[in-house]
Amino acid sequence: MENLVLKNATFFDSIQGKMVPGKDITIEGTKITNISNSDSTDLNDTNKEIDLSEKFIFPGFIDCHVHLESSSEVDWAKELMRKKQGAEYYVAYNNSLRHLRTGFTTLRDCGGADWGSPLKHSINNGTLVGPNLYVAQKPISQWGNQEFFGPRYLAKFVEEGRVLAGKNGVIEAVRDRKTKGSDFIKTMTSGGVLHGQESQLERTLWKSEELEEMVTEAHRLGMKVASHAHSTNGIQHAVDAGVDSVEHGSIVSEDSLEEMKTKGIFLVPTQTSKFNDKPELMKQLPPEIQQKTNLVDNAMIEHHKVAVQKNVKIACGTDAGVPGNPHGTSHLEIISYVKDLGMNEIRALQSATSIASELIGNKLIGSIKEGNLADLVILEKNPLNNISVLSDMSNYHAVVKSGMIVVKKGRLFLN
Ligand SMILES: [Zn+2]
């Protein structure tokens, strides 16, 4: 197989936080094998050259919070009525390609059924072309809350994630996820916004000893723990137990943020899950859910601004797939960090590259380095000068996944 040489490249060094001009990047198979000054690369017949003068190369973007089995229909019941049992694989794969098309070469699926591990392996062994997947599969639910009698979709979700009470029940559940191929554990330490009118945000059902045991057992087995938490007490509960990431973190207190900094806990903001900038969709929600949604949406912006000021580690995550939050629009999350939260462009792009790879725990993604996977986004315009260019699809010149050019000028090529 011929090597690919990206000539005259200007790339984003996500670790140092700066653009590096005048380099040739050699790709052999799935990896970057050489980065050298443009005038010093040995060219031979086995190399295929692509001149990238005046283009801007970024590490493939990472979304740390998606739900690939759902497709963002506001009326989730409608989506479920159309879905055939067993179809989750195809729905999830198709949704993963929407992300790949827009430069997201790695996705962390934060809870679904057990299609995640087989789909991930099918991509890893080359049966399918798709983004790198990290999957939680069935979450470990707060069994005992009233959500079981809430919306149908949620009852299914909660029932599937049921565990027995007490430390042993939690240990058993973590080992069950490990056996079934989950990469990390997803749990909840607060109620949810779209989880129905009965779901109280402040409700956190785990006893501290149960949650601490979950984290200990997961870490012992090499798995991280991501906790969904909106309410102040739910977030603090997760932080006390030493989870690896707080998902949503809408009403996070300054004390929790300080402790997150000390313990190295990541915030995954899911800003694009907000409805208050989507009035047409908001109208489709029941009034009591609109009220809860408004409260959380406003809190999310204010509290996450503080997280940015305090320099808490923020990893890009969208909640794509939940109602009103379509797959393939994750670049809006990066833009919102700059426009809504006051982050600078460098840090916003690091949140979707080097910082996200740190949360996932894979140093071979999220940065352009010799030895790393050749996952790249090649852009016409530099988002460090104007972050909004990320929402212009004509700006996406190409996407490279594991050394293969999978997108050219917005079109997918999967062979
Ligand atoms: Zn989620």
Side-chain angles (χ1 to χ4, degrees), residues 4 14 26 37 39 42 57 63 69 72 86 90 116 125 131 156 161 186-187 189 208 215 324 351 401:
L4 185 61
S14 56
T26 303
N37 290 334
D39 47 15
D42 271 348
I57 307 178
D63 187 333
E69 72 177 39
S72 80
Y90 309 105
N125 69 20
K156 172 180 167 283
K186 167 75 185 296
T187 190
T189 48
S208 298
V215 173
S351 79
K401 161 75 202 330

Side-chain angles (χ1 to χ4, degrees), residues 65-67 110 186 228 248 270 319 322:
H65 192 131
V66 299
H67 296 280
C110 270
K186 167 75 185 296
H228 153 117
H248 318 302
T270 65
D319 220 2
V322 303

Side-chain angles (χ1 to χ4, degrees), residues 5-110:
V5 181
L6 308 178
K7 292 284 298 168
N8 305 310
T10 297
F11 74 87
F12 180 55
D13 179 341
S14 56
I15 308 288
Q16 299 295 326
K18 60 176 188 189
M19 293 306 283
V20 179
K23 298 289 181 183
D24 286 354
I25 300 172
T26 303
I27 297 168
E28 289 181 46
T30 60
K31 293 198 166 171
I32 297 168
T33 52
N34 188 264
I35 301 176
S36 52
N37 290 334
S38 288
D39 47 15
S40 66
T41 315
D42 271 348
L43 291 176
N44 56 51
D45 294 344
T46 61
N47 287 344
K48 179 182 173 190
E49 283 178 56
I50 301 177
D51 184 27
L52 291 181
S53 318
E54 294 175 38
K55 303 282 188 283
F56 303 91
I57 307 178
F58 285 79
F61 299 139
I62 302 169
D63 187 333
C64 292
H65 192 131
V66 299
H67 296 280
L68 291 173
E69 72 177 39
S70 0
S71 300
S72 80
E73 180 84 65
V74 174
D75 185 346
W76 230 342
K78 210 190 277 176
E79 190 178 322
L80 278 168
M81 273 185 248
R82 290 193 183 119
K83 201 179 269 175
K84 300 280 183 206
Q85 202 170 10
E88 292 92 348
Y89 294 89
Y90 309 105
V91 173
Y93 179 55
N94 187 48
N95 284 333
S96 80
L97 295 180
R98 292 175 199 268
H99 289 275
L100 191 62
R101 224 179 123 236
T102 51
F104 281 78
T105 53
T106 300
L107 306 171
R108 195 175 73 137
D109 193 280
C110 270

